[in-house]
Amino acid sequence: MNYSDVNAECMACKPDIDFSKCKPKSPKPKKIQLECGQGTGMTTFTSTEDDSFQLAHVTVNTSSLKKPEVLIKFSSLVRVNSTNTGVVRLQYELFEACDGRQPLSLGTWMFEKDTQGQGFVESIQESFNFIFCGNQTMSRCCDYFVTVTPIEITGEDASATVSNGRMAAFAQDWWDDVNKRQKKDMKKPADRESNKLILACGQGSTGGQTLIAQFSSPQEPEDIAQVTVDTTCLKKPKVLIEFSSIIEMSNSVFTEIALQFELFKVCGNSEPVSCGIWTFEETVGTEVDITFVQVQNSFGFIYCECSHISDCCVYFVRVTPLQTDLGDDDGALATWEVCNVLMNGYAQGTEDYDFKSNERKIYEDKSNGAVCKPVHPKPKKSLLACGSGSGNTTFTSSSDDTPFQLAHVTVDTSCLCKPVVDIEFSSTVRFEALENIGSAAQLRYELVRVCADGTPVTIGLWILDKLPILNVASIETFSFNYCDCTTCPGCCDYFVTVMPITFTSEGTLPDINGTVTVGDGRIAALAQEG
């Protein structure tokens, strides 16, 4: 999907609306901070006796904010080995520790792979991501960190490795920038350049990149998404990159598939520099004699960096097939795709610049020759809105055809000119096969927007297969980020709904042999003037 012209669709708004009509009760642009966290390495669990491991952390100092709202973003990889005779169950927990006080748990997320002796899986590596959005009752310096605890590890040689933990945070002032409290300042906090953001909506492929995986034919790397982040007008910028996708394997008789996702950065005329590698992998025992039509897995990550160089940089994701074995069937035709690719970028300076309208600004440090020209984007006013989940529900049949609203957020962009809205969403999915290891379910997720006229508009669609050929039970995360560039100023509601499309079981269609539980829906919206 091409998001390069963020204002193209907004031109359909009324011609006389160059700026939104800001109503008295509409939220004004506010002070927002972007903070990059750090990972803490990796660890392997082999027993429930192993200690909990802190996978990532981020520090957010909200002492200059009033009743701040905080959005936490977390991504990681989890690898399960030799689960052919047992269960691996891990608990991810987000903590908040402020001003040296005891950590407070903000939420837990479960990961599970259960094969109960079926002997199918040798190894699986996938992403495990979530968001959290909420209010702080006080302004203070807080550390947020994620720990992973082994709850159950059974079976011969079973182990779980967690790695590549990454965190980032947004913090927003509760006060509007016209609040009387801010009159004490010579310059309103929300007008300072270091309190504004640059949001860049990237280019991805909603249809995916389809590559034929033949037994004797190696694959070439493919670039599947990119986003341009221009920090020329920022001093010592912080940059956050978000990537989400669906990996789809069709007509598959794969015994092993490993895809390497690598994030690159190109600034100016320099050569591409690797920023990180994330690998998706599934390896099946050769004794498996089950084929399937289609399997889809959610895969994504975040990357956050602090830079001392201000420049226009292109970030892009390259997929390299490391292994695509088709077992003994060398005549089989199997394909894999990376689809629903979405990629966004955020940038914020750590210090202020005093820009003059339509004039170029030369940095105080002229040694690097960087010049901020009018063509370069300047930081803009933004809003953060935290949404809410709607609990969980369990599907037992495709006849459950009423969509379940998993999460909802309201964002009022009346005070933003030509707004762009970035939707952040995460949830969990649990599949349990009650009778037949071949049972499967296909879920349909929709992102729906409802604005002033009250007409629901589907702006995003994801199909997710939960196919426990390899697992009697599993709990995974499903998450995405979506850049909505087609809204006019006003109040809009965003919903994520989910419903089952099909329930099947091997050889006995359409018998129902499983259940799917969706829950822990979390959603947030970041809006910025275009």
Side-chain angles (χ1 to χ4, degrees), residues 207-423:
Q209 301 288 332
T210 303
L211 303 179
I212 305 298
Q214 296 181 347
F215 182 75
S216 58
S217 176
Q219 252 74 77
E220 295 296 325
E222 292 282 340
D223 297 340
I224 62 171
Q226 71 174 46
V227 63
T228 300
V229 182
D230 190 345
T231 62
T232 305
C233 295
L234 303 179
K235 189 172 184 180
K236 298 180 180 179
K238 292 171 283 190
V239 177
L240 170 64
I241 302 297
E242 307 172 326
F243 173 83
S244 64
S245 67
I246 296 289
I247 299 173
E248 178 179 304
M249 293 166 282
S250 302
N251 299 321
S252 181
V253 287
F254 288 109
T255 58
E256 181 177 2
I257 179 170
L259 305 178
Q260 175 181 283
F261 293 74
E262 188 166 7
L263 176 65
F264 289 92
K265 176 174 71 173
V266 180
C267 299
N269 296 321
S270 64
E271 292 296 318
V273 176
S274 177
C275 298
I277 292 175
W278 295 258
T279 303
F280 169 84
E281 179 182 338
E282 284 193 4
T283 303
V284 182
T286 55
E287 70 277 12
V288 179
D289 188 24
I290 299 177
T291 62
F292 46 89
V293 176
Q294 184 169 282
V295 177
Q296 290 144 329
N297 295 270
S298 172
F299 192 85
F301 58 81
I302 66 169
Y303 171 81
C304 200
E305 67 173 356
C306 300
S307 176
H308 293 286
I309 300 176
S310 302
D311 203 347
C312 183
C313 300
V314 177
Y315 294 82
F316 64 93
V317 174
R318 176 172 296 167
V319 176
T320 303
L322 301 180
Q323 189 72 39
T324 53
D325 286 344
L326 302 180
D328 296 329
D329 191 355
D330 57 3
L333 179 63
T335 65
W336 59 266
E337 303 180 52
V338 182
C339 52
N340 286 99
V341 177
L342 299 168
M343 190 173 180
N344 299 334
Y346 283 93
Q348 183 177 67
T350 56
E351 298 181 19
D352 289 333
Y353 282 120
D354 293 324
F355 292 108
K356 294 183 179 180
S357 178
N358 298 322
E359 294 182 2
R360 69 173 56 183
K361 168 68 181 179
I362 301 177
Y363 292 125
E364 296 177 5
D365 181 9
K366 300 180 182 179
S367 59
N368 60 9
V371 177
C372 182
K373 299 179 181 180
V375 296
H376 295 296
K378 295 180 180 180
K380 300 178 181 180
K381 297 178 180 180
S382 306
L383 284 172
L384 168 63
C386 293
S388 59
S390 307
N392 60 72
T393 192
T394 298
F395 300 116
T396 59
S397 167
S398 56
S399 62
D400 298 336
D401 56 0
T402 301
F404 176 72
Q405 181 181 303
L406 198 52
H408 158 252
V409 64
T410 300
V411 58
D412 188 347
T413 60
S414 298
C415 297
L416 298 178
C417 175
K418 299 176 181 178
V420 178
V421 180
D422 178 28
I423 300 297

